[in-house]
Structure formats: C-alpha cells, structure tokens
C-alpha cells in the first residue's frame, strides 16, 4: 500500500488486506491447528483451549512482529514467541506444535484472499448489472465498430456492452471457482507431518475443516498451483476491468464524445474538462495487478521443500494483486454506474465508409442500420447467460 492507496483501493478492501488482517489470519491458523490436534487427541484439550484463548489479535503489535521478523525472514517466528508468552506455562509448548512458519503464513494468505475475493466478486456483480442494462437499452443504438482504432463496420453500443458483460461473467466464474478451491496448508517441517506420527492426515482434515478451506491432497509448500490459480483469476479479472475502462476512456475523448462519466473528474487547471476519472483509475490499477500477478507466476518455481526467496516474494505481490484487482473492478463499476450515453453522437460519428464491406459484397445496405448482422442476437445470448 502506498501513501495514496485510498485513491485506488476502497476502504473495505484496504482493511481486508491490512497488516492487522494478516495477523488475524495467522492467529486463526494457529487457533485452528491447536483445536484440530485437541480433536484428534494429539494435545490436551486444556492446552488447546489456552492456545485458542491467546489467539486474540488485539494482544499483539503487528509492527513489532514485522520488525522482529527480519532476522528469521518471516513474521511467524516472532508471532509464535509472543503467542507462547501469552499462553504461559504449562501449555506454551502446545502452540504451533508440529507446524512450520510456511504452514501458518500460506494458510493465512488463503484466508486473506478469500475475504478479498468476496469484495472482487461483489464488484464484478455490479459491473455485470450495469453492462446488462446498457446492452438491453442500447441494442439498437448504432455505433462504429473500431478495429486498430479505425472505423470498421457498424455495430451497436448494446453489442459492445454485451461483450463487456460476457467478460465480466467469465471473470466472476473464475473468481468464484478459485475462491471455492483455496486450500489450507499443513506440512510440518518438510511436508511429511512427522511430528504428528500416524495422525497427520486426521489433523490436516480437522484443520482445513475448521478454517473452511479445501483439504489439499498433499502439502503445497513448493507446489504453488493454488497461488498460480489465484494469480490467473486476478489477472483475468483485472484485464476484464481494464478492457472496459480503456473503451470508456477512448469513447469519452473530446473528438469522439460518445460517452461521459456522470461524475467526471475535474482538472486542477482546466475547468472545462470532465475527465473519465473512474475509468482512468481502473486502468492504473490493472497495470499494478498485472505486474504483481507476474511475480506470483514467477514464484511457482521453488527449490526442493522450501523456496529460497520465491515464497517470500509472494506476500507483498499477493496483497498488491488483490488490492489492485479490487480497485480496478470497483472503479470500473463506478464508471459504468454513472455512464452517460450520447446515442445521437454515436450515430453521427459513423462514417459512410463503414458500409464499404457490404457494398463490396453486393448487399443492399443503404444505412448502417442495414448492416448489423447478428449483433442483436449476440446481445440476447449475453443477456440470457446473465439472467441464468
């Protein structure tokens, strides 16, 4: 997060991705681990209760934990020390028993991601609602299709919005599928859960169930497909938002003037301007999301049973990817919600040259309205999927 993150990231999402949220998620993992072991009989229920009681985020200084984590390379080591101090004897050793730092931090990353994805999913729903409305209302509004930024053949603004709609629906399906597959991580020192003896699988099952995360087939400490799947869903979603935002910015150019944002942003020096600010912010967020997802994809390659640097690079990249993707979809949703459509301008901007293909084929197309092909049928197909 940068000093101006409030411009790009909504407060709700900022809170879900804050250091305090990560701390709460790590403590939730520690609490679930103790409860799972008590359920399986690996540790005494009284000791487990002491661990659970100590997993109150208000008891810990997250800034101090981060500073103390420099020597160990992660925040879990100082957290475990602080947690055991809170518990005290004779039950301190029950905390973090059989786990390793990556178990707690990977699981926390899935919990944080799940909360952030709820925001992303909701914003995608708002985008889909607006696009569906625009597609239906403007299915007959003629506009020039533009390929390589040049006028091509006629289409309708409804067909353009239908394309946006399908992109949003695709992204929402990807986000929901990913959110439903986020796994817990528990492998112990090197992925064998040896500290639990023959009860490792049972502890893992109880641990994942308690956190309402998927139970993985094997520990994924260096098989980073869950992170790659998450990065893919985020990159796709940010790209969909960025595509819509890019179109809005281009359609809002003074020389085109086919759309405008209802709350267009002011300029500090030019009072005549009404900038498509929300779409511009979405475009900026998409760039950050794409870059951070690239780091997550690169981190898939890990050494043996613990990555040397790749895993550590994920934490910041994941937080930024979630924040930037959420910012992109929220800004795009806001842009669409107040979008003003100038249908007359759209029709007036259509050049006669857009009918050149029809005439070369010998078709009787006297007006752009005569050469729309299956545009309306595609609008209906997109709306049918939206309504399903």
């Amino acid at each position: 997060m940068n000093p101006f993150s409030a411009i790009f990231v909504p407060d709700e999402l900022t809170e879900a991705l804050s250091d305090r949220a990560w701390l709460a998620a790590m403590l939730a993992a520690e609490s679930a681990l103790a409860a799972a072991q008590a359920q399986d009989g690996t540790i005494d229920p009284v000791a487990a209760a002491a661990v659970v009681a100590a997993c109150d985020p208000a008891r810990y200084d997250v800034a101090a934990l981060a500073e103390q984590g420099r020597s160990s390379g992660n925040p879990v080591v100082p957290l475990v020390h602080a947690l055991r101090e809170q518990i005290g004897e004779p039950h301190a050793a029950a905390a973090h028993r059989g786990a390793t730092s990556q178990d707690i931090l990977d699981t926390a990353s899935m919990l944080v991601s799940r909360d952030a994805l709820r925001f992303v999913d909701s914003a995608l729903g708002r985008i889909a609602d607006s696009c569906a409305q625009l597609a239906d209302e403007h299915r007959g509004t003629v506009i020039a299709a533009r390929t390589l930024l040049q006028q091509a053949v006629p289409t309708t603004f409804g067909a353009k919005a239908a394309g946006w709609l399908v992109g949003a629906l695709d992204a929402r399906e990807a986000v929901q599928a990913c959110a439903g597959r986020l796994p817990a991580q528990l492998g112990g020192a090197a992925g064998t859960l040896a500290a639990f003896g023959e009860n490792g699988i049972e502890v893992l099952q109880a641990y994942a169930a308690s956190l309402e995360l998927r139970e993985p087939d094997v520990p994924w400490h260096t098989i980073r497909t869950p992170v790659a799947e998450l990065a893919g869903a985020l990159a796709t979603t940010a790209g969909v938002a960025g595509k819509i935002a890019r179109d809005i910015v281009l359609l809002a150019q003074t020389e085109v003037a086919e759309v405008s944002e209802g709350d267009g942003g002011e300029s500090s020096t030019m009072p005549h301007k009404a900038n498509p600010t929300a779409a511009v912010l979405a475009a900026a967020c998409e760039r950050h999301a794409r870059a951070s997802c690239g780091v997550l994809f690169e981190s898939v390659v890990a050494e043996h049973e613990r990555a040397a640097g790749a895993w550590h690079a994920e934490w910041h990249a994941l937080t930024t990817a979630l924040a930037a993707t959420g910012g992109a979809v929220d800004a795009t949703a806001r842009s669409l919600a107040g979008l003003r459509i100038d249908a007359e301008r759209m029709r007036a901007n259509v050049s006669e040259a857009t009918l050149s293909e029809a005439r070369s084929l010998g078709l009787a197309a006297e007006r752009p309205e005569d050469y729309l092909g299956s545009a309306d049928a595609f609008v209906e197909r997109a709306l049918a999927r939206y309504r399903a």
Side-chain angles (χ1 to χ4, degrees), residues 61-89:
D61 183 341
V62 67
L65 293 173
E67 184 175 350
Q68 294 162 14
R70 288 174 183 161
S71 61
S72 58
N74 73 76
V76 178
V77 173
L79 176 61
V80 172
H81 289 319
L83 179 59
R84 287 173 174 165
E85 287 179 6
Q86 287 285 331
I87 297 167
E89 296 303 333

Side-chain angles (χ1 to χ4, degrees), residues 166-189:
V166 169
L169 295 175
D170 287 345
R172 198 173 192 192
E173 286 181 1
V175 165
Q176 290 176 351
C178 183
R181 286 179 45 80
L182 297 175
Q185 163 64 14
L186 189 62

Side-chain angles (χ1 to χ4, degrees), residues 370-382:
D370 299 330
Y371 197 60
L372 295 176
S374 300
D376 190 66
F378 285 130
V379 169
E380 194 54 45
R381 284 163 65 113

Side-chain angles (χ1 to χ4, degrees), residues 114-127:
R114 183 173 64 189
D115 289 344
L117 288 178
R118 292 191 183 106
F119 178 91
V120 172
D121 178 62
S122 177
L124 282 170
R126 288 156 51 207
I127 290 174

